[in-house]
Amino acid sequence: MTLQIALLFIIVAAALIFFSTEWIPPDVVALGVLLALILTGLLPPEKAFSGFGNDAVVMIFGLFVLTSALSRTGVIDMAGRVILRHVGTDENRLLIVVMGSTALLSTFISNTASTAFFLPLVLGISEKLRVSASRLLMPLAFSAVLASSVTLISTSTNIVISGLLVQYKMEPIGMFEITPVGLPILIAGLVYMLVVGRRLMPVRGHPDDLIADFGKRLYLTELVILPGSPLIGKTLSESGLGHDLDLTVLWIVRGKERHRYLVPKAQEILETGDELLVEGKREDILKIKEKTGIEIKADYKLSDPQFKAEEMSLVEAVLLPRSSLLGRTLKQARFRHEYGVQVLALYRHGESLFRKISEIPLRVGDVLLLQGHRSRIARISRMERDNLLHVLGTLSLERPNMRRAPIAIFIFIGALAAASFNLVSLPVSLLIGVFMAFLTRCISPARAYRDVEWRVLILIGSMLGLGIAMQHTGAAQFLAEGIAALTGEAHPVWLLTGFFFLAVVLTQPMSNQAAAIVVVPVAIQTALHLGLNPRTFAMIIAVAASTSYITPLEPACLMVYGPGGYRFTDFVKVGSLMTLIVYGISIFLVPWVWPLNN
């Protein structure tokens, strides 16, 4: 072992400690690792920074933008509603559908691409069902990675290994040659996640948490059925307020005096002028503006025609202690008359409200959804010193551009198809998709760049530098040769075991392809020297190089790391047993499908 290799191992050990404790954010740790490699001379700067131009970074950037375009055009929301109609509120059924769909898609396209497609979809569903996203996102990523060994094109690593076999005068890997091993691994992995893995996963970021984003809270608001509305004459169940807009109707107010409160029944027929007291999340309440024939009461009766839409602002504001509004209703305080701002909805933690907003006495901590001219919203913000309201933040009034939804779908599917049929590489096809999304105005560049998870890209680019250092210093080759030397005289199964776990270890800091490129030649040479079948070793490394469960450094896992609120140790806890299951299946099936003796 050289001094350079020893120093590299020290840096890796320190990085693992910081990753597992999370004293410092993971992206900062990764950046520190990259700088340490440069300052110690283990890696020249030109090679260190090449990780940021790697295919994986470009590919994930493109996926972030395209999935953002799908979200901004309403495609993700529509797909989520379709899934919810079929799975209902059953978390078990939802997990089966999400994992099964992701695994099926990952069998034929990149697991990163399939994870990126389902990520915003699963986040939206978790909010609708009020289920912690951490319960769904790790199974999503793991199911995508599990499918990597089902077909040749499940992952580019298989294609790389197939090319290495050709260099050694062997037949390339067939499209379904690896399926007899990959399919049992996929099935066993899905069963493990459903039965055992889900019990080991953390529950974080639950929508009911007091510090959760107020946008996930259930607000109370009032709707009015407009004259000529297509909802007139329809029953409440036919209106779509529940299954389309995810709103809960609490009361129907009917009659000239508006004092007749009706308990909402599924077969209640809606009439002109009906006022509906409903409860829903902020985003779902704002979607009412897109539905014809129904309007938020404040918009319908109190809208100010002199203000243009682009001059309007939408904010959430919380009532402060000693506010002059405490104990008074909005009607008593003449809120709109005094401040020129409309109250669209009201949220009160831990309590369901069954009265009209204007008749509810306000309390400390009540959150109001306010809409009004920017100058008047700014006036309220300046009044914080008077203990009236504290503005939590300005919200976007942007609505999904549903007219461009078919274009966004076509671009996304086209980008994946172009890569699947080898017309261009996946990073290139995704960048073409990004370019087309910008040209067709499915999403603006400014909005797309705001939606990109830059921390993920920094983490990937920096850790790829560590993988390059493993090759540059000869550390990877040193480990591979050490495994061959230690197990060379033992039973061939132990030799296979050694190469399996070496590939698993190397594929954590390195890309899967790089790990395979390092380990496969050493394994083939070792097999030829011992008179064993080299294809057996290549195939078990193909499986092992995609066994990336014990750290979140696999791109598919990185994509869910932040949104799921996971910690480094969560992947160790859930992924370690998964790794052992994959090993147990592959060490039995690989020598059976490809016998060790020629």
Side-chain angles (χ1 to χ4, degrees):
M1 180 188 297
T2 65
L3 180 62
Q4 280 191 324
I5 294 175
L7 185 56
L8 178 63
F9 287 161
I10 292 173
I11 293 174
V12 170
L16 289 175
I17 292 172
F18 282 110
F19 276 134
S20 59
T21 58
E22 296 199 0
W23 293 331
I24 303 173
D27 52 308
V28 178
V29 173
L31 200 57
V33 169
L34 185 64
L35 289 173
L37 295 173
I38 296 172
L39 295 177
T40 55
L42 297 178
L43 198 59
E46 61 273 13
K47 288 190 175 183
F49 299 136
S50 65
F52 291 97
N54 186 273
D55 284 0
V57 175
V58 176
M59 179 173 63
I60 290 180
F61 167 80
L63 288 169
F64 274 135
V65 174
L66 289 184
T67 52
S68 179
L70 292 174
S71 179
R72 298 294 171 182
T73 53
V75 175
I76 298 296
D77 187 64
M78 288 187 293
R81 294 184 192 282
V82 171
I83 291 177
L84 280 176
R85 287 178 188 176
H86 289 86
V87 303
T89 58
D90 189 326
E91 185 179 337
N92 291 329
R93 193 183 305 169
L94 176 61
L95 266 178
I96 292 172
V97 170
V98 168
M99 293 179 66
S101 302
T102 306
L104 180 62
L105 189 60
S106 298
T107 300
F108 300 101
I109 69 170
S110 158
N111 56 43
T112 311
S114 59
T115 303
F117 176 78
F118 282 102
L119 175 60
L121 185 61
V122 171
L123 284 174
I125 291 174
S126 69
E127 286 187 19
K128 288 177 174 35
L129 294 183
R130 303 179 65 74
V131 173
S132 173
S134 64
R135 301 283 297 169
L136 302 173
L137 292 182
M138 190 181 289
L140 165 67
F142 279 13
S143 60
V145 179
L146 278 166
S148 299
S149 300
V150 176
T151 67
L152 172 65
I153 60 174
S154 297
T155 173
S156 57
T157 306
N158 294 342
I159 299 174
V160 169
I161 293 176
S162 180
L164 291 172
L165 290 176
V166 172
Q167 291 180 14
Y168 282 90
K169 311 300 181 185
M170 287 183 278
E171 290 293 320
I173 299 175
M175 176 62 75
F176 299 103
E177 183 180 356
I178 201 170
T179 305
V181 176
L183 191 57
I185 288 174
L186 173 61
I187 295 171
L190 294 179
V191 171
Y192 163 75
M193 288 304 296
L194 286 169
V195 178
V196 179
R198 60 181 301 187
R199 303 181 188 279
L200 301 176
M201 289 185 296
V203 178
R204 299 197 181 99
H206 194 279
D208 285 333
D209 196 297
L210 287 174
I211 62 173
D213 177 15
F214 278 107
K216 299 176 183 177
R217 306 294 190 159
L218 293 180
Y219 280 91
L220 179 75
T221 192
E222 297 170 65
L223 313 181
V224 60
I225 305 295
L226 304 178
S229 170
L231 300 183
I232 295 172
K234 287 187 176 182
T235 64
L236 195 58
S237 63
E238 294 170 342
S239 67
L241 295 176
H243 59 74
D244 287 342
L245 295 180
D246 291 315
L247 299 174
T248 301
V249 180
L250 304 176
W251 290 100
I252 300 175
V253 187
R254 181 174 295 166
K256 292 183 179 180
E257 301 299 325
R258 297 296 166 204
H259 292 309
R260 185 184 174 196
Y261 284 72
L262 303 177
V263 177
K265 298 178 181 178
Q267 300 306 313
E268 185 69 43
I269 297 176
L270 298 175
E271 300 179 3
T272 303
D274 279 354
E275 294 177 8
L276 310 179
L277 195 65
V278 303
E279 190 178 51
K281 292 194 296 294
R282 182 191 69 207
E283 291 80 1
D284 295 323
I285 287 174
L286 294 178
K287 287 174 186 174
I288 295 165
K289 296 172 180 286
E290 304 163 19
K291 194 171 180 70
T292 57
I294 194 168
E295 186 59 273
I296 298 174
K297 187 178 177 182
D299 278 353
Y300 175 58
K301 287 194 172 183
L302 304 177
S303 58
D304 198 333
Q306 65 176 313
F307 295 140
K308 297 178 181 178
E310 57 268 22
E311 297 174 338
M312 302 299 285
S313 184
L314 184 70
V315 300
E316 287 172 312
V318 62
L319 261 72
L320 299 171
R322 301 189 304 278
S323 171
S324 60
L325 298 175
L326 295 179
R328 305 168 67 191
T329 66
L330 293 171
K331 188 174 183 180
Q332 291 170 343
R334 303 179 67 206
F335 188 85
R336 182 179 183 274
H337 177 77
E338 290 292 331
Y339 306 106
V341 175
Q342 302 164 4
V343 178
L344 299 184
L346 182 148
Y347 162 77
R348 177 173 295 169
H349 177 72
E351 186 174 337
S352 296
L353 306 170
F354 293 93
R355 282 186 286 175
K356 299 173 71 172
I357 295 175
S358 60
E359 299 174 354
I360 297 174
L362 300 175
R363 298 180 186 174
V364 173
D366 283 352
V367 181
L368 304 178
L369 188 60
L370 306 178
Q371 178 178 275
H373 192 267
R374 291 176 181 174
S375 62
R376 294 182 178 177
I377 293 291
R379 176 171 170 255
I380 288 181
S381 300
R382 290 193 295 269
M383 294 178 70
E384 287 184 18
R385 60 179 178 271
D386 298 327
N387 291 312
L388 181 72
L389 291 166
H390 171 66
V391 175
L392 298 171
T394 302
L395 310 173
S396 174
L397 283 167
E398 180 183 357
R399 302 177 190 176
N401 190 350
M402 302 294 292
R403 291 180 299 174
R404 300 195 183 277
I407 300 175
I409 294 172
F410 178 79
I411 290 173
F412 187 83
I413 294 176
L416 296 183
S420 298
F421 290 105
N422 295 319
L423 300 179
V424 290
S425 66
L426 183 57
V428 173
S429 68
L430 291 174
L431 284 185
I432 293 173
V434 169
F435 180 68
M436 294 303 298
F438 290 161
L439 280 186
T440 57
R441 298 183 180 179
C442 289
I443 190 171
S444 67
R447 168 60 68 183
Y449 300 149
R450 284 198 295 271
D451 289 346
V452 170
E453 288 280 350
W454 296 105
R455 290 181 302 175
V456 171
L457 298 184
I458 291 173
L459 181 58
I460 294 174
S462 299
M463 292 310 295
L464 285 172
L466 177 58
I468 296 170
M470 295 284 288
Q471 292 178 272
H472 181 73
T473 60
Q477 188 76 13
F478 170 80
L479 290 173
E481 292 174 354
I483 291 292
L486 285 173
T487 58
E489 300 300 325
H491 191 277
V493 170
W494 290 110
L495 187 59
L496 284 176
T497 297
F499 278 114
F500 177 92
F501 283 106
L502 175 63
V504 169
V505 169
L506 292 182
T507 199
Q508 308 305 318
M510 303 171 68
S511 70
N512 298 355
Q513 299 91 328
I517 289 171
V518 169
V519 179
V520 168
V522 178
I524 288 177
Q525 292 288 357
T526 302
L528 292 173
H529 176 72
L530 297 175
L532 301 173
N533 184 1
R535 199 174 193 85
T536 312
F537 287 78
M539 289 303 182
I540 202 163
I541 292 170
V543 174
S546 297
T547 307
S548 305
Y549 309 107
I550 55 177
T551 72
L553 301 179
E554 162 73 28
C557 296
L558 279 171
M559 297 187 77
V560 304
Y561 186 77
Y566 296 118
R567 296 172 186 163
F568 195 90
T569 51
D570 294 332
F571 286 84
V572 177
K573 186 190 302 182
V574 182
S576 296
L577 186 53
M578 174 80 85
T579 301
L580 292 177
I581 291 172
V582 173
Y583 163 72
I585 294 173
S586 58
I587 201 67
F588 174 75
L589 289 181
V590 169
W592 181 70
V593 177
W594 301 277
L596 278 164
N597 297 311
N598 288 306

